[in-house]
Amino acid sequence: MPRARTKPRVRLRALFVWHRYLGLIATALVLVLAVTGLALNHTRALQLDQRHVDNKMVLRWYGIETPRPGRAYRSSGHTILRIGDGVYVNDNKVGETSEQLVGAVDAGAALVVAAAQTVWLLTHEGQLIERLDQRAGIPGPLRALGLTPDGRAAVRTAEGVYIADATLLSWSPGGGRGVRWARAVEPSDKLVRTLARRRRGQGLTAERVMLDVHSGRILGPWGPYVMDGAALLMVLLAGTGTWMWYRNWRGRRRRKR
Amino acid sequence: MHLTRILLLATALAGAPAHAQGVYQKSRAFLDGAFDGPVPKPEAVWMTPEVRGPVKRILGHEPTALRVRYWSRDQRSVWILDEIGKEKPITVGIVVNAGRIEKLRVLVFRESRGYEVRHPFFTGQFRRAGLRRDLRLDRPIDGISGATLSVRALKKLARLALYLHQHTHPRNAPR
C-alpha cells in the first residue's frame, strides 16, 4: 500500500522538476519571442518598416560596411559626390548610380553632374530637371565634364568632345579647346560622415531585424533551429504544466471524498 | 482571338530565356526608325502646374523630372519614357501620330520578371490607341498573367505619351 502511494508522488515530483528546469531554459527564448512578436504585431504603429538601423554593431553583424565616398566636385558653392549608390548635392540626394562621377559644373541654366553613362541636370536648389543617358545623343562612356569659354557644358567621350546648347537639350560634336574640365576635390569630413551614416543604415529596417530575431535567423543558418527548440520547449511546458495541474486537481477531488 | 494570344504566349514562353532583362533596342536606333530622314532636334515639355496635374493622375505619382524630352515633326512625335514596373524602370519608345499610337516598343527591360510585355503580341495592342477625355486609353489592353506590374507600367507610359502629344499638338486633342 505505501509503495503504491509513493509512486505517483515521485512521478509528479519528477515532472515538477523537469517543468521547472525546462521553464528556466526556455525563459530567455520565450521572452525574445514574446517581445519581438508583440512589436511585429504593431509594425505600422511603431513604424518599424520605416525606421532604419544605425547601430554599428548590428550593421557589422549584417555585413553592412560604411560606404566610402567616390570622387567629389565643387560647383557654385555646392559639393557634389557619390556615396554608396547615391549621388548627392551637399546632403541632398539627387540620383542613384554605381558609376564614378566624372564632373560637376554650373552651366547657368542648370547644375550639370556627370557619371560614366549618365548626366543629371539639376536646378540650383537640387531639383531634377532631366536625367540624360544615351537617348540624349551623347555617346558613352563619359570621361570628363567641363565648361567652354562661353559657359556651355561639354563632355569628353571616347568619340571626342560634345558640347551642349544653351537649353542643354542638344549635344553636338565640338572642339575641346579652351574647355575648363572639372577637377575632383576632397569633400569635407563632416559631410562625408553625415552622408555615410545616412547611407549605412538605409538598407536595413527595424522590421527586418525584428523578423530575424523572432525567427532566429539573426544567429545564422542554425538560428531557426534554436527557435524551433524554444517552440518545442513551450509545447513541453504546456504539456507538463497541464498534466501537473490535472494530477493536483484529481488529488484534491479524491481527498474531498 | 484570345486562343491565338494564349497559343502565342505559350510559344513565346517556351522559348523565353531564364533571364530576359536586356537592351532590346538602343534609343538612337528607335529614333532613326521613327522618322523618314534625319531625326529632328529634341524639344521639351515642362512640368508646369497645368501639365503636372494630369501627368500625376496618369502615373499615380509625382513626375520625377521637371521636363520631358521628345522629338517631333509634323503630326508625329516620339517619346522615350521610363516607368518603374516592380522595382526597376522599364524604358519604352512610343511613336504618336495624329493623336494615336503608331508604335510602342520596349527598349530596355531591367526586371527579372514580366518581360513578356516586350513581345509584339502584347505591344501590338497599343497600335491605333488614343486617349479619352478622362485620360484613359480608348481601348482595353489584355494583361499578361505574372506581368501585371509591367503591363501597368506600359499602359501608364502609353497614356502619358498620348497626353503629352496632345499638349504639344493641340490639334490632336479630343474634341
Side-chain angles (χ1 to χ4, degrees):
Chain A
M1 270 311 196
R3 220 172 151 186
R5 269 194 195 167
T6 53
K7 246 190 174 173
R9 273 199 203 137
V10 167
R11 275 201 211 119
L12 190 60
R13 179 148 178 79
L15 203 59
F16 182 76
V17 170
W18 271 107
H19 184 90
R20 186 170 62 192
Y21 283 113
L22 284 176
L24 281 170
I25 293 167
T27 295
L29 296 172
V30 168
L31 273 173
V32 167
L33 279 169
V35 169
T36 54
L38 269 171
L40 287 166
N41 257 353
H42 302 279
T43 295
R44 241 188 219 172
L46 296 172
Q47 295 181 314
L48 295 179
D49 53 346
Q50 283 157 48
R51 289 172 197 261
H52 290 94
V53 175
D54 195 28
N55 182 283
K56 274 187 197 168
M57 212 168 65
V58 174
L59 290 172
R60 207 176 298 131
W61 185 263
Y62 274 84
I64 295 174
E65 299 295 332
T66 303
R68 299 209 170 280
R71 275 189 223 130
Y73 295 88
R74 280 193 70 80
S75 181
S76 295
H78 301 293
T79 302
I80 299 98
L81 74 164
R82 180 178 69 94
I83 283 193
D85 284 345
V87 178
Y88 292 86
V89 173
N90 302 320
D91 61 353
N92 177 29
K93 185 177 173 187
V94 299
E96 287 201 350
T97 185
S98 55
E99 307 159 7
Q100 188 73 269
L101 295 185
V102 300
V105 297
D106 184 347
L111 203 56
V112 184
V113 179
Q117 301 283 355
T118 311
V119 175
W120 293 268
L121 305 180
L122 306 160
T123 65
H124 291 90
E125 291 74 39
Q127 247 190 313
L128 180 68
I129 296 173
E130 191 181 0
R131 184 176 165 279
L132 310 180
D133 51 25
Q134 42 101 1
R135 77 191 71 171
I138 314 172
L142 308 182
R143 292 175 177 172
L145 173 70
L147 282 176
T148 61
D150 57 352
R152 287 186 293 156
V155 290
R156 188 167 66 219
T157 75
E159 297 183 25
V161 173
Y162 281 72
I163 299 174
D165 64 8
T167 61
L168 296 159
L169 271 171
S170 291
W171 297 69
S172 312
R177 187 179 281 190
V179 174
R180 281 172 290 122
W181 300 107
R183 285 190 183 172
V185 298
E186 271 306 311
S188 77
D189 286 338
K190 188 178 167 197
L191 179 62
V192 170
R193 270 199 311 272
T194 304
L195 295 178
R197 198 179 319 125
R198 213 185 282 174
R199 287 295 305 175
R200 199 174 51 203
Q202 263 180 11
L204 188 63
T205 61
E207 186 191 15
R208 174 81 264 146
V209 176
M210 282 285 172
L211 282 166
D212 287 345
V213 170
H214 190 77
S215 64
R217 277 192 208 94
I218 201 158
L219 298 173
W222 292 101
Y225 294 110
V226 171
M227 285 311 187
D228 287 348
L232 285 171
L233 274 178
M234 279 193 282
V235 169
L236 277 172
L237 283 169
T240 52
T242 307
W243 181 243
M244 285 189 315
W245 168 83
Y246 172 71
R247 291 295 302 272
N248 268 330
W249 174 80
R250 205 174 63 174
R252 278 201 305 273
R253 276 192 69 175
R254 279 198 191 138
R255 282 195 290 277
K256 269 183 192 168
R257 283 188 208 139
Chain B
M1 187 65 174
H2 287 294
L3 181 59
T4 314
R5 284 181 186 153
I6 290 166
L7 286 170
L8 279 170
L9 173 61
T11 315
L13 288 175
H19 298 284
Q21 304 147 309
V23 178
Y24 300 113
Q25 187 173 26
K26 296 221 164 163
S27 301
R28 208 66 223 171
F30 184 78
L31 284 168
D32 288 339
F35 293 102
D36 293 325
V39 175
K41 280 196 178 302
E43 299 170 71
V45 179
W46 286 86
M47 292 294 119
T48 58
E50 178 203 350
V51 174
R52 181 180 282 270
V55 168
K56 187 177 170 184
R57 266 175 61 197
I58 289 170
L59 295 177
H61 59 77
E62 290 283 351
T64 51
L66 291 177
R67 77 180 187 190
V68 177
R69 173 182 298 254
Y70 69 101
W71 297 259
S72 175
R73 181 181 292 142
D74 301 326
Q75 291 304 304
R76 178 183 274 119
S77 67
V78 178
W79 308 82
I80 298 179
L81 304 169
D82 295 297
E83 179 63 10
I84 292 184
K86 187 170 183 223
E87 289 166 351
K88 305 251 173 84
I90 306 171
T91 302
V92 178
I94 304 169
V95 181
V96 182
N97 193 356
R100 294 198 169 270
I101 292 180
E102 187 177 278
K103 180 161 69 172
L104 184 145
R105 187 157 178 170
V106 174
L107 303 181
V108 185
F109 193 84
R110 300 173 181 86
E111 304 267 19
S112 56
R113 304 174 62 139
Y115 52 80
E116 297 87 351
V117 295
R118 69 178 177 92
H119 291 295
F121 72 80
F122 176 74
T123 57
Q125 296 182 85
F126 291 91
R127 204 170 296 128
R128 302 291 308 149
L131 198 68
R132 297 190 323 218
R133 282 187 179 281
D134 63 356
L135 304 179
R136 299 255 167 217
L137 294 175
D138 65 359
R139 63 198 55 205
I141 303 291
D142 288 341
I144 299 177
S145 176
T148 308
L149 295 176
S150 299
V151 167
R152 198 175 291 167
L154 262 64
K155 282 164 75 173
K156 282 185 193 175
L157 292 180
R159 291 160 65 200
L160 181 61
L162 285 166
Y163 168 73
L164 294 175
H165 174 90
Q166 284 172 11
H167 181 72
T168 53
H169 299 72
R171 277 173 53 191
N172 295 156
R175 295 196 187 142

